[in-house]
Amino acid sequence: MSICPLYPLDIWRISPQEIQPVTEVLKEGEVFLVSLPSGEITRENRAGLGLYYMDTRFLSCLEVYLAGTKPVFLSGITRGSHFSQIETTNSEIKTPEGMVIPLQTLHLRTLRVLKHSLYQRMRFVSFAPCPVSIRVRFVFCADFADIFEVRGARRAARGSYDPLTIRPDGFLFSYLGRDQIRRSTLVAFSPAPAQIWSEEGHGIAEFELNLPPQKKRYIFLQVTPFIERPGEKAQAPGVFGYWPGSPRELDNIEIAFPRAAYELEKSYSEWRRECTSFTSDNGHFNQMVSRAVTDLRALMTDYAGMGRIVDAGIPWYATPFGRDALITSWETLILNPEIAKDSLRFLAGYQGQKIDSWREERPGKIFHEIRRGEMACAEEVPHTPYYGSVDATLWFVILLAEVYYWTGDQEFLEEMAGPLYRCLDWYRKYGDLDGDGYVEYLRESEHGLTNQGWKDSWDGVVDKDGSIPRGPLALVEVQAYLYLALRYAADLMFVLGDYREGAKLHQEASRVRDNFLRDFWLQEEGFLAFCLDYRKRPLKTIVSNAGQCLFTGILPAPQAEQVAHRLFAPDLYSGWGIRTMSAAEKAYNPMSYHNGSVWPHDNAIIAQGLRRYGQFALLDQLLTDVFEAALFFPYYRLPELFCGFARREVGGPVRYPTSCDPQAWAVGSIFLFLRAMLGLSCREKEVRVGKPFLPKWLNELYVQNLAVGSGRVDLEFARSRGKTFCNVIRCEGDIKVTIQP
C-alpha cells in the first residue's frame, strides 16, 4: 500500500524514532515504570520518575555509571507498552591503570520488561582491539512516596524507614507507613556484584567486567515491590492480584526475564486477536492505531478481588477513574466491547451505598477515583473511593445502553438492571441539588474537588471576568449527558419490561431538553452558556463544553449548526484541534490544564457530534488536523492534552509538560474518530454504516473482526473521486449490515 502525502512538506515522513519522548513508560498490571529515555531514574527526580505499585513509588533512583561516568544515550524504543530497548555507549574513559578507552568503544544494550517485577538485561560489548576492564556501578533508592506526594502534596508526618538490608545478590529497602503497612523493594542481581554497600540511604552495587574484543557480557537485574499488612506475609504483585512469597523466594532472574517477555508477547498477541483490526493504505496511520491497541491492553488492569478496568493514565492516574473508564469504554466499543463490560461491572461493584460527606458518597453514585496508597489507607485523603464526579453516574447509563445496542446482550443488561435503577435514583434524590431538574455539584469534602465535571482543576470553571463562580453549578455538557441518559434509560426500561418507568423517563428527558434550550442558549452568541451558577445565571464564557452537547442530540439542527461553526472560529480553533477555551476570554492560557489547551478526547466527542448533525466538512478538517498533530508526538500517540498555541507553518503542536502519556481517553479517541469517520453504529443485530467518508490522506481502510452481537463483520472502505464506498467482505452470525450511501 502506498502512503498518501498531506502536503508538499510531507510530515508523514516523520519516524516515531526521530521524536524522542521526554519520559518512557512501561506498564503491566498494577506495576508501572517511568524513566528518562536513557533508562535512568535520576536522584534529582522532579518528573515523577520511578517504579510504582499501588499508588506508591517503590524505586526513586536507578543510575548506572561506567568507570564513574554516565553512559551516553544513543536511542531507545518501547514496544507494546511493556518492553523497551535502550542503546547507550561510553564517553572517553581513563581507567585507574592509566588506560584510555576512546568514546563510543563500549556498547550497552538494555532490555526491560515488566511482569510483577521490573526485569532488566544489560549486554556489554567492547569494540576495542584489546581486552578492557571496566567498573560498572549501580545506584538505587526507594523513597516510598505516595502518588499524591509525588504530585506535590505536603504531609504533616510520614512513616519510618528501616535500615537498608545488604544481601549477597542485592539489597532490600523497607518502609513502615502511617497506615501500619510495610512496603519493601527488593533489588537482586545475577551474577552477584563484586561489592555492595549503602551510602546516605542509597544502595550501591559494583561489578568488575572484563571485556574481550566483541565478546558479550551480561548483567541481569530484578526489582520487586512487596506489601506486608499487619499479620500477613509479604506479598508481591501477581497475575490476578498477588502471589504469596517472601523476598527470599524469587525465581532465577536469568530464567524469569525471557519467560516474562514470552508470556507478555503471547498475552498481547491474544489481545490483538480479540480486537477489531484496522488496516489502511497509510502506514503511519496504521502505526497510530497499532500503538493505541497495545496501549489499551497495558492500561487494562486486573485488581485482586475487585475486577478488571481500564486505568486512566500514567503516571498520575494509573488507577480506576469512573468518568475516564466510562468514556474510554464508549470510545472503544468499535474496538472491543469487553472493555466496556469489564468497566461497568467494576464500577457497579463500588456504586455508592450511603451518605458520606468526607468521600462525597451518595447511594447510587458512581465513584470518581480510588486510591490504595499510604495517604488513602491512613485516611489523609478521601479516595477510598472518592465520589466527587457530577457526570460519572450519567455516563454509566449512557455506556450501558450503548453496550446493549452494540452487543444485544440481554443477560448482561439484566445483570446491570439493579445498578441502572440506582443511578436513576441518585439523579432524582441527590443529583438535582435544588429541584430544578438539572444536575449540579457543590464540594462537600475538605479534600475534595472544587470542580467536579471533566474540567476538574480548581480554575476549570471561570466567569468572563476571570472570577471563580459560586456553586452549586450546573454544567452545560452535564445536562446534555442527562438528557441522553434519560432517553437511553427509557429504551432499556422497555427492554426490561418496565413500561411505566420507560414512559416516565421519556417525559423527564423531554422536560430537560425544553428547559435546557430555554436556560442555556445564548441568542446573541449563537452558542451555549458554560454553566448556570447558584443564582441560575448563565456564565457566558466561550468554552469547548458546548461542543460535547452535540453527540447527545439535545439541540435542534439550526442551533447545532451554529455551535459547530463557532467551534471552528479562530479564537477556539488552534489549527491542531479545538481549544478548551476561546483565546478571547480573560482567563485564556494556552499552557493551562483546562483553559486554552487542546484535549484529544474532547475533540473526539465533538467529532461524534459533527457526524450526528452532518457537518462533514468540519469533521474532515478536525480529523486531518488532529491526526497531523499526532505525528509530532512519540510513537504517533496522542497525549492527554497539548498546549493550545496557534498552528504555524513550521513546527508542530506544543507539548504540555505534565500530560499523562499514555492516557486512556486520549488513546481511545482514535477509535471514536474512526467511528465518526465511518458512520458506524449498532442496534443489537444490525450494523449500520451511515454516509461513510475517508479524509484525503486515506484511500482504503479495512475493518476486520468487528464484534457485533454474537457475530463478526469485515468491511472494506475505499475513496474514489471524492466519494467513499463500503463493501461487506464477511458477515458471520445472526446479524445484518445496512449501508447508507
Side-chain angles (χ1 to χ4, degrees), residues 57 121 126 172 185-186 205 208 245 358 408 710:
R57 183 161 62 185
R121 190 194 79 176
S126 170
L172 181 72
T185 304
L186 177 65
E208 295 289 345
W358 166 245
S710 59

Side-chain angles (χ1 to χ4, degrees), residues 323 360 368 386 388-390 441-443 448-462 468-473 475 530-531 539 594-595:
R323 178 192 302 115
E360 306 206 32
H368 170 67
Y386 170 63
S389 170
V390 70
Y441 67 87
L442 183 66
R443 185 180 75 171
L449 292 168
T450 301
N451 289 310
Q452 298 183 3
W454 83 263
K455 295 179 179 177
D456 56 6
S457 52
W458 69 271
D459 62 347
V461 181
V462 62
I468 304 299
R470 178 180 165 188
L473 301 179
L475 294 170
F530 191 172
C531 69
L539 269 66
H594 286 128
N595 294 335

Side-chain angles (χ1 to χ4, degrees), residues 351-642:
Q351 196 169 17
Q353 301 293 324
K354 60 185 178 181
I355 297 176
D356 182 343
S357 296
W358 166 245
R359 299 190 300 153
E360 306 206 32
E361 180 182 2
R362 292 293 185 275
K365 197 174 186 183
I366 299 301
F367 75 71
H368 170 67
E369 177 183 1
I370 189 168
R371 294 288 184 176
R372 294 172 301 147
E374 180 186 359
M375 291 180 67
C377 293
E379 297 186 350
E380 296 177 37
V381 293
H383 296 64
T384 57
Y386 170 63
Y387 287 82
S389 170
V390 70
D391 52 3
T393 311
L394 304 176
W395 269 110
F396 186 98
V397 178
I398 293 169
L399 179 62
L400 176 59
E402 290 269 10
V403 168
Y404 177 73
Y405 297 152
W406 203 273
T407 66
D409 192 337
Q410 179 86 19
E411 186 176 335
F412 180 75
L413 176 60
E414 291 172 357
E415 177 188 342
M416 292 290 111
L420 171 61
Y421 277 102
R422 290 192 286 274
C423 287
L424 297 171
D425 286 344
W426 167 82
Y427 157 61
R428 290 164 176 158
K429 295 178 182 177
Y430 307 106
D432 181 2
L433 298 180
D434 52 16
D436 64 349
Y438 295 133
V439 170
E440 301 98 356
Y441 67 87
L442 183 66
R443 185 180 75 171
E444 288 184 284
S445 178
E446 177 186 356
H447 291 278
L449 292 168
T450 301
N451 289 310
Q452 298 183 3
W454 83 263
K455 295 179 179 177
D456 56 6
S457 52
W458 69 271
D459 62 347
V461 181
V462 62
D463 211 337
K464 283 195 78 71
D465 62 4
S467 64
I468 304 299
R470 178 180 165 188
L473 301 179
L475 294 170
V476 62
E477 78 278 11
V478 172
Q479 314 321 312
Y481 301 160
L482 172 62
Y483 166 72
L484 185 61
L486 292 172
R487 282 188 53 222
Y488 276 178
D491 290 351
L492 297 181
M493 290 301 166
F494 291 135
V495 175
L496 292 168
D498 192 340
Y499 302 107
R500 178 177 294 182
E501 180 68 6
K504 181 180 177 182
L505 287 164
H506 265 305
Q507 292 176 352
E508 288 179 290
S510 297
R511 189 160 54 247
V512 167
R513 186 173 192 250
D514 292 342
N515 293 341
F516 179 87
L517 296 174
R518 179 195 67 205
D519 297 333
F520 281 87
W521 184 251
L522 304 176
Q523 187 63 39
E524 67 281 8
E525 294 282 354
F527 206 60
L528 289 165
F530 191 172
C531 69
L532 305 181
D533 68 6
Y534 75 104
R535 295 173 296 178
K536 300 304 171 187
R537 178 181 67 92
L539 269 66
K540 299 182 180 181
T541 317
I542 302 300
V543 290
S544 66
N545 300 52
Q548 289 204 17
C549 299
L550 296 175
F551 86 94
T552 69
I554 196 171
L555 288 174
Q559 284 95 326
E561 184 174 349
Q562 290 184 69
V563 169
H565 284 274
R566 181 68 182 85
L567 291 167
F568 285 80
D571 61 318
L572 268 173
Y573 199 73
S574 73
W576 298 114
I578 298 165
R579 298 183 178 105
T580 47
M581 179 179 284
S582 162
E585 295 295 344
K586 187 172 183 178
Y588 168 75
N589 178 354
M591 298 175 289
S592 72
Y593 197 53
H594 286 128
N595 294 335
S597 53
V598 176
W599 287 64
H601 95 282
D602 187 29
N603 281 257
I605 294 174
I606 292 171
Q608 188 71 354
L610 296 174
R611 150 67 62 177
R612 181 181 187 116
Y613 286 98
Q615 297 295 318
F616 294 106
L618 297 178
L619 178 57
D620 191 356
Q621 180 182 350
L622 183 60
L623 288 168
T624 297
D625 291 341
V626 172
F627 285 133
E628 287 178 6
L631 297 175
F632 288 91
F633 293 104
Y635 309 115
Y636 303 151
R637 176 199 282 150
L638 287 167
E640 177 187 13
L641 72 155
F642 51 89

Side-chain angles (χ1 to χ4, degrees), residues 634-692:
Y635 309 115
Y636 303 151
R637 176 199 282 150
L638 287 167
E640 177 187 13
L641 72 155
F642 51 89
C643 294
F645 292 106
R647 184 171 183 167
R648 298 289 183 259
E649 290 184 8
V650 178
V654 178
R655 141 180 203 279
Y656 186 81
T658 57
S659 175
C660 284
D661 190 15
Q663 196 257 6
W665 62 20
V667 171
S669 66
I670 286 182
F671 303 102
L672 191 58
F673 279 126
L674 274 166
R675 191 171 164 188
M677 184 192 305
L678 304 179
L680 274 173
S681 63
C682 294
R683 281 298 183 271
E684 300 180 42
K685 297 181 180 181
E686 180 184 6
V687 182
R688 300 177 181 177
V689 183
K691 293 184 179 179

